[in-house]
Each structure stands twice: as structure tokens, then as C-alpha cells.
Amino acid sequence: MKPKIGIPQALLYHRYYPAWNKFFEELDCEVVDSKVSTKETVDAGVRLAVDEACLPVKLFLGHVQYLKNKVDYLFVPRVVSIESKEYLCPKFMGLPDMVRYNIDDLPTIIDTTLNLRDSKINLFKAALEVGEILGKGIWQVNKALWKALRELRKYRSERKGKINSKANYKIGVLGHEYIIYDPHISMNLIAKLRKMGVEVITAEMLSKPALKKGVAHLSKDMFWTLSKQMLGAGHHFFDRNDIDGIIQLTAFGCGPDSLVGEMIEREAKRRRKQPFMTLNLDEHTGEAGLLTRLEAFIDMIKWEGI
């Protein structure tokens, strides 16, 4: 029987799942991901998490709760850094501990540390550690990692998408992938906008040079990778004449978002070039209210064009 590896469908899942899935499949494992987020998933996570936890962490715990009795292993890596000289939010570093101490009767957790701050060779070391846990040899692990990285490049290329020439408006959407691309907590924001005749552009659709240029004005380099990406995308959108409006999605309780989101909002007020709106999401946010705000935002863009 192939060992079953559970991957919660939250947080970095939305960034790396194709690579993780390919990696474990090449190691002769059966990958079991949790179902798409629902209200029940969020409610389960809220009951398990401390009150101070941000919405994405609560959601992650809800997905773990769903998976725990269905798999032999849970893949919850301790991700410290994914870029040179940068870090991720501390929640990614402490995620295995939050899972372990908030949920009972868990299967074995694969909590390998991934820290690429000083050297990308640490990715290979992390892969070898996972392979060792599963009893796999170095050559099988090396081949699995190579195929996983190839799958990830393909996934990122496809995510850039195609330009919708029939769209009436072009809107930049700012926010972390694990918020924007989770259909429940974002309440299918992208699908709703597209239905309204909007072409959506996110940070993941931009090139690295474009994102880097967006943060070039900072007096010192920002060391939070995901926040830096969000800020870079924001300034890129502000500088483009073809962006009709900007929507920023933030999660209630997120420390980095509270700082970076404020920086972006202040820049939007200073420039007053495009209509700008911030949507702060939590487990109580209602879909009807969100839809009303989106419709009002599109109307404001129409009035700007008159």
C-alpha cells in the first residue's frame, strides 16, 4: 500500500501544490488534499485556534482537522524563507507547532524546515529529509525534486493567463495567494469580477523585474517576501495607465498586512489616480455585502470614465 500524504488546502498550498503533488507522487505516495474550503472548514478552525490567530491560520487548522484521520502523514513544512536574504511571516515558521498543539490524535507530521535565505541548496537538503522519512533513496528524491520544479514552472506560467480583449475594465487585485485563490474566504472574488466584465491582474501575473521596480523607492529593502510582492505589485499598478481600479484584500489579524496594507492605502490616497478599495476579510464577512461593494466599485470606475 502506498503511504497517504495529506496536504491541507490552505496557505502555501495555493503557491506550491503542483510541485508538492508531483514530488510525492514520484516518491510512490498517494497524495490526499483536503476539499475546497467551506464554512464548516472555517468553523472547525475557529474552534481549534487561539483567538489571536489570523483567518488563514484558522482555515489551515480546519483543513488539518478534516485530513487527520484519512492519511498516514501530514505535510506541514516549517517554511522560514523562500528567497535569498528574506523571510516569510512567522506563522509559516510556527505552523507545525500550532498544528501539533491545537489538534489531538494526529498522524506523523512531516515538518521539514525549508530555509532558502542563505542558500538554495537547502531546498535539496529539505527534499532529502522528506525522502529519508519515507524511506526513499537519494536518486529517487533528486528525480522527484527536478520533476516537481518543472511542474511548478509550468503552473506559474499558466497562472499568468491570457489577456481578455473583451473585458470592459482592468482591475489590479492585491493580496496573498492563499486569500485571493481560496474560493471561500475570497468569496470567488475573481470569478465575480470577471462576470462583471473585468480583466483581473494579480501579483502572480507580473514579472519579477516589475515587482522589483515597484519597491525600488523604499529607503531600505523589505525582508518579508510575500508583503514585498504585494507592495511591489501595488506600486506597479499605480504606475500603469491601463489599470482602471485597484482592490486590496487583507485578512483580519494579519500583522504584516496591517502594516503593508496601510502603506499601499496611503499611497493610493496620495496619488488619487485610480479608484481604490480595501476589503478586510474575516470568518464573519458576508457574501452579499462583498457583492454590493464590488458593484459600487465598478459603478465608481464607470463614473470616472464618463
Side-chain angles (χ1 to χ4, degrees):
M1 293 289 289
K2 292 183 177 181
K4 293 182 179 180
I5 312 293
I7 303 181
Q9 197 170 145
L11 291 177
L12 293 179
Y13 171 100
H14 297 283
R15 189 181 185 96
Y16 294 120
Y17 176 70
W20 291 346
N21 183 63
K22 190 66 175 178
F23 179 73
F24 285 114
E25 283 184 350
E26 291 296 319
L27 295 183
D28 300 318
C29 298
E30 179 185 345
V31 176
V32 181
D33 63 348
S34 49
K35 293 181 178 179
V36 174
S37 303
T38 63
K39 183 179 184 301
E40 288 70 30
T41 316
V42 175
D43 290 344
V46 169
R47 289 192 295 270
L48 292 163
V50 296
D51 293 338
E52 294 78 12
C54 65
L55 176 60
V57 167
K58 292 175 180 177
L59 185 68
F60 190 90
L61 294 179
H63 281 284
V64 171
Q65 178 72 8
Y66 171 85
L67 281 171
K68 71 173 189 176
N69 296 321
K70 298 176 174 63
V71 296
D72 304 306
Y73 299 89
L74 278 168
F75 182 57
V76 188
R78 191 184 303 277
V79 185
V80 178
S81 171
I82 58 174
E83 294 288 349
S84 175
K85 298 180 181 179
E86 295 178 6
Y87 293 99
L88 291 191
C89 169
K91 65 173 172 276
F92 295 105
M93 305 179 204
L95 198 57
D97 302 315
M98 285 189 277
V99 169
R100 194 171 278 118
Y101 295 113
N102 283 287
I103 303 177
D104 297 325
D105 304 318
L106 291 168
T108 300
I109 296 179
I110 301 176
D111 59 352
T112 303
T113 297
L114 178 63
N115 186 354
L116 306 185
R117 183 185 186 277
D118 299 317
S119 174
K120 291 197 173 182
I121 197 69
N122 290 335
L123 175 60
F124 180 61
K125 292 179 179 178
L128 284 179
E129 185 178 327
V130 175
E132 187 176 346
I133 293 171
L134 299 172
K136 307 300 178 180
I138 184 172
W139 296 113
Q140 187 176 4
V141 171
N142 187 44
K143 180 181 177 183
L145 179 59
W146 181 81
K147 288 190 174 183
L149 292 174
R150 185 177 64 179
E151 196 71 19
L152 184 60
R153 286 192 294 270
K154 178 183 175 184
Y155 171 67
R156 287 180 175 169
S157 177
E158 290 174 349
R159 174 162 279 187
K160 292 183 183 298
K162 298 179 180 178
I163 296 175
N164 182 4
S165 59
K166 296 182 180 180
N168 299 317
Y169 306 102
K170 187 177 292 186
I171 290 180
V173 175
L174 298 171
H176 303 305
E177 289 166 283
Y178 50 82
I179 296 176
I180 293 176
Y181 294 106
D182 186 289
H184 179 72
I185 59 176
S186 73
M187 287 167 280
N188 281 309
L189 177 91
I190 290 179
K192 285 181 170 63
L193 287 172
R194 286 173 176 163
K195 192 174 181 180
M196 295 176 183
V198 171
E199 180 183 342
V200 177
I201 302 177
T202 66
E204 295 74 44
M205 300 175 184
L206 305 178
S207 66
K208 281 192 174 183
L211 294 173
K212 187 175 181 180
K213 183 180 178 182
V215 292
H217 70 285
L218 296 177
S219 58
K220 59 188 300 186
D221 199 18
M222 180 176 286
F223 56 81
W224 286 330
T225 297
L226 301 184
S227 298
K228 183 177 179 179
Q229 177 178 295
M230 187 169 160
L231 188 62
H235 279 266
H236 174 82
F237 292 151
F238 289 136
D239 291 336
R240 285 178 57 169
N241 293 322
D242 63 336
I243 297 294
D244 299 300
I246 302 171
I247 297 174
Q248 177 175 249
L249 290 184
T250 63
F252 181 77
C254 176
D257 271 11
S258 65
L259 172 63
V260 175
E262 179 68 17
M263 292 172 67
I264 294 173
E265 194 164 338
R266 287 187 181 187
E267 185 67 15
K269 290 177 180 178
R270 186 182 73 82
R271 298 203 184 198
R272 297 184 179 276
K273 183 180 177 182
Q274 302 114 325
F276 178 89
M277 175 173 66
T278 295
L279 296 172
N280 197 306
L281 307 173
D282 66 11
E283 58 266 31
H284 306 297
T285 304
E287 187 168 356
L290 178 101
L291 184 59
T292 299
R293 293 191 66 184
L294 286 181
E295 289 172 344
F297 188 72
I298 299 301
D299 285 341
M300 181 165 45
I301 291 175
K302 289 178 182 178
W303 295 334
E304 289 281 333
I306 296 176

